[in-house]
Amino acid sequence: MTQLKFFDFKSASLSEKAALMGRAGSSPFSSLGHSVGVRFSQELSSCRVRFVYVSESSGSGVLTKASYSSSSNGTYMSKRAISSVDKEKIAAENYFYQINGTSVSSSSLFSRNVKALDACDDEYGGVVVDPDRLPVNPDAFASMLRFSLSHWKMKGKKGIWLKLPLERSELVPVAVKEGFQYHHAERGYVMLTYWIPEGPCMLPTNATHQVGVGGFVINDKNEVLVVQEKFYAPSFADLWKIPTGFILESEEIYSGAVREVKEETGVDTEFVEVIAFRHAHNLAFDKSDLFFVCMLKPLSAQIKVDDLEIQAAKWMPLVEFVAQPLIQEDGMFKKIIDICIARLGKHYCGLLPHQVVSKFDGRPSCLYYNVIDAQDVNCRGN
């Protein structure tokens, strides 16, 4: 058990002062010296006694200074710690300890050096923690995370992004305990965030939309490629519909439509245009939904059904397809079919993808638009 005694240096005798200074090498401060020279100075005050600890290492350029003082409520407080070595990552933590009747170790009572988590700054004044260089021990992670948050607050940082891989899931409750919140999760990781400034969090929310595509494929016989799904609501039992599905990550709308038709029916197609799109809200997982209807030209005719998702597929005369009760009774589907028929009659023009590059991010992307040309009987974009 370590017992700390404070002396009033104004009233202490010279022998008491000398004895105290002589014991410096064996005092709790000595554990912080790490075999370097240590000296103490006493700053006298009428209201309290203040100890200043200075550690120097000749030739290494290291200078660490820590100040401690006792207050009237029996609390021992670390006031300040400054280091010239890697100031961005290493400094002393501030701790508060109740001295009276409390057993504390010298390593926890006095300032100790803690390294900040490896991270990089983002372009919005925030920080992105390196998920590949996280400490192995959860306790070490907790200590470094607490210090890092204090460090980033002092530097005026804003949003903190903490990506924890699946194999480091034991760190999730540690981060949540420190105030981090869930942002989103994928199969291999969970992303957590921490907003430092006061006021509302300005970090972008998780993805709000899912994107689906539907392929309207019609051949020279005026037949539409349709499917019946294996899994459906009872009210849709007799419905023949166009192939639909979700696009994949980093997949274009036009290539996603071609892929979905191929996967469900085995038919090869060529993208023509985006005919229309629907925007709906509060669907799967309370997310919004963007559904793009694409007109496709068939390049093959033989059907090979995907047994995992599709019950049946066939080429259906357009007239029969439109006459289905579920199509006629549904305002949205009926309107989609009307638009597709208008496109076949060249009374309507859809949207074509155009590769463009923006100076804002320097990345290529697809801009969907159409420039009507009176000489272009196929109503293709220029």
Side-chain angles (χ1 to χ4, degrees):
M1 179 178 296
T2 300
Q3 182 178 3
L4 296 180
K5 296 182 180 180
F6 297 94
F7 294 89
D8 183 349
F9 280 88
K10 286 185 176 180
S11 59
S13 66
L14 290 176
S15 59
E16 288 175 324
K17 294 178 181 179
L20 177 63
M21 297 304 293
R23 292 195 300 269
S26 60
S27 72
F29 288 103
S30 62
S31 64
L32 299 174
H34 299 287
S35 300
V36 300
V38 178
R39 73 172 184 267
F40 295 89
S41 64
Q42 296 75 35
E43 295 178 13
L44 306 181
S45 172
S46 60
C47 61
R48 60 186 175 182
V49 177
R50 187 163 182 255
F51 294 94
V52 178
Y53 154 71
V54 179
S55 172
E56 295 179 321
S57 177
S58 60
S60 64
V62 177
L63 173 61
T64 304
K65 180 179 179 181
S67 172
Y68 302 88
S69 63
S70 63
S71 61
S72 58
N73 62 2
T75 300
Y76 200 75
M77 183 184 304
S78 169
K79 289 293 186 181
R80 182 179 59 181
I82 305 170
S83 176
S84 63
V85 180
D86 197 1
K87 291 183 181 180
E88 297 298 318
K89 287 187 176 181
I90 302 177
E93 289 182 301
N94 291 330
Y95 286 96
F96 298 85
Y97 293 87
Q98 190 69 32
I99 297 299
N100 296 337
T102 302
S103 177
V104 291
S105 66
S106 60
S107 59
S108 64
L109 176 61
F110 296 101
S111 174
R112 61 181 180 180
N113 286 339
V114 178
K115 184 176 181 292
L117 293 170
D118 288 293
C120 62
D121 296 342
D122 66 21
E123 56 186 314
Y124 304 104
V127 174
V128 180
V129 177
D130 188 346
D132 298 321
R133 303 186 67 180
L134 297 170
V136 176
N137 186 282
D139 292 334
F141 172 73
S143 179
M144 293 175 69
L145 183 61
R146 283 193 297 270
F147 170 71
S148 298
L149 288 173
S150 298
H151 176 63
W152 293 327
K153 287 178 182 178
M154 289 189 295
K155 290 179 64 66
K157 295 302 180 181
K158 298 179 181 178
I160 311 300
W161 297 88
L162 177 61
K163 180 180 179 180
L164 297 179
L166 181 62
E167 59 271 18
R168 303 307 313 278
S169 59
E170 76 278 6
L171 302 182
V172 173
V174 178
V176 171
K177 185 177 180 180
E178 296 303 322
F180 277 79
Q181 296 182 336
Y182 293 121
H183 187 270
H184 69 273
E186 297 290 347
R187 290 193 177 194
Y189 72 88
V190 59
M191 181 68 78
L192 298 100
T193 59
Y194 188 103
W195 182 249
I196 293 178
E198 295 183 0
C201 176
M202 300 302 292
L203 292 175
T205 61
N206 183 25
T208 59
H209 287 67
Q210 56 187 11
V211 180
V213 290
F216 185 83
V217 186
I218 189 165
N219 61 19
D220 294 337
K221 300 177 183 179
N222 232 25
E223 295 173 326
V224 182
L225 182 61
V226 294
V227 300
Q228 281 188 334
E229 295 183 336
K230 276 191 173 182
F231 309 101
Y232 51 81
S235 57
F236 298 150
D238 299 324
L239 176 66
W240 289 91
K241 58 183 280 293
I242 62 175
T244 61
F246 293 110
I247 65 172
L248 304 177
E249 186 175 353
S250 301
E251 185 177 39
E252 297 290 350
I253 294 170
Y254 61 86
S255 58
V258 171
R259 176 189 53 77
E260 279 292 341
V261 170
K262 176 68 174 179
E263 289 179 355
E264 293 190 358
T265 68
V267 175
D268 295 311
T269 60
E270 178 185 4
F271 175 83
V272 179
E273 290 173 351
V274 170
I275 298 301
F277 71 89
R278 178 213 64 182
H279 192 199
H281 306 286
N282 299 318
L283 298 183
F285 306 106
D286 296 322
K287 298 296 184 181
S288 298
D289 182 275
L290 285 168
F291 178 71
F292 291 85
V293 181
C294 303
M295 178 167 282
L296 306 176
K297 177 183 177 181
L299 301 178
S300 64
Q302 185 175 359
I303 293 175
K304 184 179 179 180
V305 173
D306 175 17
D307 293 332
L308 295 177
E309 299 182 75
I310 304 303
Q311 182 68 35
K314 67 178 182 178
W315 291 97
M316 187 179 202
L318 178 61
V319 176
E320 292 183 22
F321 177 66
V322 174
Q324 293 183 96
L326 285 173
I327 297 293
Q328 291 295 318
E329 295 169 4
D330 188 283
M332 186 189 71
F333 277 107
K334 186 175 185 304
K335 188 62 177 178
I336 289 175
I337 300 305
D338 290 343
I339 292 172
C340 291
I341 293 174
R343 174 64 185 86
L344 292 173
K346 298 182 175 63
H347 302 302
Y348 178 88
C349 290
L351 305 175
L352 278 168
H354 299 262
Q355 292 288 335
V356 296
V357 177
S358 171
K359 287 187 177 181
F360 286 102
D361 55 20
R363 298 180 180 180
S365 59
C366 281
L367 182 64
Y368 286 78
Y369 66 92
N370 211 319
V371 178
I372 298 177
D373 187 345
Q375 309 247 337
D376 188 356
V377 295
N378 292 318
C379 198
R380 295 186 67 86
N382 297 314

